[in-house]
């Protein structure tokens, strides 16, 4: 039996029910594709297939692939700073931020070159880092000095992750290092550099 004139069949999700789309669901599916297949596989068509919807329906939520990548970067950064910032000195809060950001990057190695080339939106970043910046403010550190410290440490974390698992855009990164000795080398290297940065900022901002 044909559908009534003028009506359009809706894309069905798994189980025959109409797929319900949201920006959050789209971005979550994008993360799954990124982790499983790499950045080059992340197209609107592939995303539509993953969600059992027509690719065109995605554009109601995200107008193009660049918007998708921006949303994806924001989602991953939000994942990194999801835990509330404890009431600790800003030096410790900064160290905890670095460790959390690194964990997220190593958990999503295909995202490392993406974040290196698609910085987090400024307004989004400031909102997500509000708790960390408050720890600086509580110690009387000027906001611009706090931003410089946080941004510098963030770039260090990203650069170190690139050294460990990153590859140029368009290629898949190597699988996470399985050798405990190699992993320990990267961990010690990271900790040494992070300590030097945090200590340096502490001396500079409390002088």
């Amino acid at each position: 039996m044909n559908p009534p004139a003028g009506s359009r069949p809706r894309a069905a999700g798994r189980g025959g029910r109409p797929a319900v789309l949201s920006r959050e669901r789209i971005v979550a599916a994008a993360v799954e594709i990124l982790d499983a297949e790499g950045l080059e596989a992340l197209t609107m068509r592939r995303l539509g297939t993953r969600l059992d919807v027509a690719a065109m329906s995605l554009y109601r939520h995200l107008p193009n692939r660049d918007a998708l990548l921006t949303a994806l970067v924001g989602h991953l950064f939000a994942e990194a700073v999801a835990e509330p910032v404890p009431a600790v000195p800003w030096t410790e809060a900064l160290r905890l931020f670095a460790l959390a950001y690194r964990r997220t990057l190593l958990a999503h190695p295909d995202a490392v070159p993406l974040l290196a080339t698609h910085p987090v939106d400024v307004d989004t970043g400031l909102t997500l880092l509000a708790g960390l910046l408050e720890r600086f403010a509580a110690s009387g550190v000027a906001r611009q000095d706090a931003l410089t410290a946080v941004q510098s440490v963030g770039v260090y974390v990203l650069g170190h992750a690139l050294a460990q698992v990153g590859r140029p855009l368009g290629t898949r990164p190597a699988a996470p290092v399985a050798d405990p000795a190699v992993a320990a080398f990267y961990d010690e290297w990271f900790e040494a550099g992070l300590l030097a940065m945090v200590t340096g900022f502490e001396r500079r901002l409390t002088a």
Side-chain angles (χ1 to χ4, degrees), residues 78-96:
E79 178 182 317
V81 296
E83 292 296 321
V85 179
V88 295
W90 67 261
T91 50
E92 177 63 9
L94 185 58
R95 190 184 75 85
L96 292 174

Side-chain angles (χ1 to χ4, degrees), residues 27 30 36 65 69 72 79 99 101 122 137 141 166 173 176 179 181 189 195:
V27 173
R65 189 171 185 266
L69 295 181
L72 181 56
E79 178 182 317
L99 293 174
Y101 190 21
V122 173
V141 177
D179 187 336
W189 178 16
L195 177 62

Side-chain angles (χ1 to χ4, degrees), residues 4 29 51-52 56 73-74 79 86 91 94 101 105 107-108 130 132 139-140 162 167 170 172:
L51 292 165
D52 287 336
M56 290 302 296
V73 165
E79 178 182 317
T91 50
L94 185 58
Y101 190 21
L105 292 175
H108 305 282
L132 175 57
S139 296
L162 279 168
R167 293 292 184 274
R172 295 300 307 276

